[in-house]
Amino acid sequence: MVALFIILWLYDLYRPAAFFYIVLLNGIALLIYLSYRFFSMLPLLKRLQTPIHSVAEPIRGDSDEPLAAAVEQFLERQQTVFRNSLFAERRKEKERHRYVDQWIHQMKTPLSVIELILEHPGEQFQTDLRHEVDRMRIGLDQMLYSSRLEAIETDLKAEQLNLRTLVTGIINQEKRLFVKNQVFPKLELSPDLYVYTDAKWFRFLLLQLLTNAVKYTAGHGREVVIQAFEQGGQVIMTIEDDGVGIPKRDLPRVFNAFFTGENGRRYGESTGMGLYFVSQVCLKLGHMIELDSTEGIGTVCRLKLVGGKQDD
């Protein structure tokens, strides 16, 4: 209107009656347009002002206005993402409660055994007590690490570590585990191999793998062979046992949470979370893990670690 007024004025065409008539027509057109916009957006405005009683409550598409429809679609997508996140957190919480319940049940067993040993001490009561205390310590460590797993990024310290020194230290700390089960570790690790990892978390995942190997290999004169070699900028580390092995049908699911499989049900005291934690730690540390097994022959666990030779 201002531009029209200026043009009419400059060309000496300005007539008050004609100009105000044009303004009136434009005002009526603007009023009609704004009214249309208001009534087309009104369903969306009402929907946005309606209290929400459930996250599963759908967003109704009552308007044909493109902008209103786009906003409704956006809110619907946002609601879907929120619902999926909420359900995922609820599922994690249920898994956490389930694991805690299983862990408490497991801790009751060594505690009951300790009470029996104290009431009726035998000749080897100190050895038996130490064995049960070790079981409780391993269980407590697993619970502690599982609670830290979700925030592992804040608890990482990646450094260059000598693999042989690292593995030897872990085995020496857990030598009672091997002696009690009459299983002996056999190390075939070159002294010049190194890996980039976090020492604490690597100890946790290696201890889980060794505990499984010893548990299902227990017997006089058995061995758990630990080997490593460099390949294409990686260190391939294998942990091989000649135990009961894993049934072929169970192999694809061994890294799933709470999956115990046939061996877990047969030997008991299995939460089905050990290998799940190992897979999650490997994922966070940038390692890869593979498992090959033949029932009745043994199991080979293969870790692909970032590292190489000391002189590279």
Side-chain angles (χ1 to χ4, degrees):
M1 290 295 94
V2 172
L4 178 62
F5 176 79
I6 294 174
I7 292 172
L8 294 175
W9 183 271
L10 291 176
Y11 284 92
D12 196 23
L13 298 174
Y14 175 73
R15 301 292 181 273
F19 178 76
F20 284 110
Y21 180 68
I22 294 174
V23 171
L24 178 62
L25 292 179
N26 277 275
I28 294 173
L30 179 61
L31 182 61
I32 293 173
Y33 171 73
L34 293 178
S35 300
Y36 164 75
R37 290 284 295 168
F38 173 77
F39 287 107
S40 64
M41 297 291 290
L42 189 59
L44 178 63
L45 296 175
K46 289 182 177 179
R47 181 67 186 93
L48 294 176
Q49 293 175 352
T50 302
I52 299 175
H53 303 288
S54 171
V55 294
E57 187 175 336
I59 298 175
R60 296 168 297 180
D62 295 335
S63 176
D64 294 330
E65 218 299 80
L67 180 59
V71 171
E72 289 170 350
Q73 290 174 4
F74 171 77
L75 293 176
E76 193 128 56
R77 292 195 301 269
Q78 190 178 51
Q79 190 182 59
T80 300
V81 171
F82 175 74
R83 280 202 304 265
N84 292 339
S85 300
L86 182 61
F87 293 153
E89 288 300 320
R90 286 178 177 175
R91 185 172 60 252
K92 287 182 180 179
E93 191 65 24
K94 287 181 180 179
E95 290 179 353
R96 192 176 297 112
H97 281 300
R98 180 180 172 186
Y99 174 62
V100 170
D101 290 342
Q102 289 186 351
W103 178 81
I104 292 173
H105 179 72
Q106 276 197 325
M107 290 299 99
K108 285 183 178 180
T109 303
L111 186 60
S112 300
V113 173
I114 289 174
E115 290 176 346
L116 289 173
I117 293 173
L118 293 176
E119 291 177 2
H120 308 285
E123 295 181 358
Q124 301 292 327
F125 78 96
Q126 289 186 342
T127 303
D128 294 337
L129 278 176
R130 173 57 63 183
H131 174 64
E132 299 304 325
V133 169
D134 284 343
R135 288 174 61 191
M136 295 185 71
R137 178 178 56 79
I138 291 173
L140 287 169
D141 283 345
Q142 191 178 64
M143 174 59 74
L144 178 63
Y145 279 100
S146 69
S147 64
R148 293 177 176 175
L149 188 58
E150 292 185 3
I152 187 175
E153 292 84 358
T154 63
D155 192 35
L156 282 180
K157 183 182 178 183
E159 51 189 336
Q160 180 179 312
L161 301 169
N162 184 277
L163 184 60
R164 183 180 179 89
T165 302
L166 186 60
V167 175
T168 301
I170 294 172
I171 290 176
N172 288 336
Q173 290 176 7
E174 303 299 331
K175 57 185 177 183
R176 284 192 299 270
L177 173 69
F178 293 92
V179 174
K180 176 68 177 179
N181 292 277
Q182 297 181 331
V183 178
F184 302 98
K186 182 180 179 181
L187 269 65
E188 298 179 1
L189 302 174
S190 174
D192 61 348
L193 285 178
Y194 70 89
V195 293
Y196 287 105
T197 189
D198 180 279
K200 180 173 63 176
W201 284 101
F202 187 79
R203 178 187 180 278
F204 169 74
L205 72 88
L206 185 59
L207 182 58
Q208 293 295 317
L209 296 174
L210 289 175
T211 301
N212 278 0
V214 170
K215 178 180 177 180
Y216 298 115
T217 312
H220 182 69
R222 297 291 187 91
E223 289 183 342
V224 173
V225 182
I226 305 171
Q227 299 175 309
F229 58 90
E230 183 192 17
Q231 185 181 71
Q234 289 183 318
V235 173
I236 311 300
M237 179 179 175
T238 62
I239 302 172
E240 183 176 359
D241 65 66
D242 55 354
V244 297
I246 302 172
K248 188 176 181 179
R249 61 182 175 274
D250 289 347
L251 271 177
R253 302 169 61 193
V254 292
F255 293 113
N256 293 351
F258 299 108
F259 180 74
T260 57
E262 184 176 326
N263 289 336
R265 291 187 291 271
R266 184 189 306 170
Y267 292 90
E269 296 188 13
S270 176
T271 62
M273 295 296 287
L275 288 178
Y276 169 74
F277 288 146
V278 168
S279 66
Q280 293 300 304
V281 171
C282 285
L283 182 65
K284 299 289 187 179
L285 294 180
H287 306 326
M288 294 180 62
I289 183 169
E290 299 173 351
L291 205 65
D292 295 324
S293 185
T294 304
E295 191 172 6
I297 296 178
T299 302
V300 179
C301 180
R302 191 175 297 104
L303 288 168
K304 296 182 180 179
L305 312 171
V306 179
K309 289 187 177 180
Q310 200 72 38
D311 56 357
D312 287 349

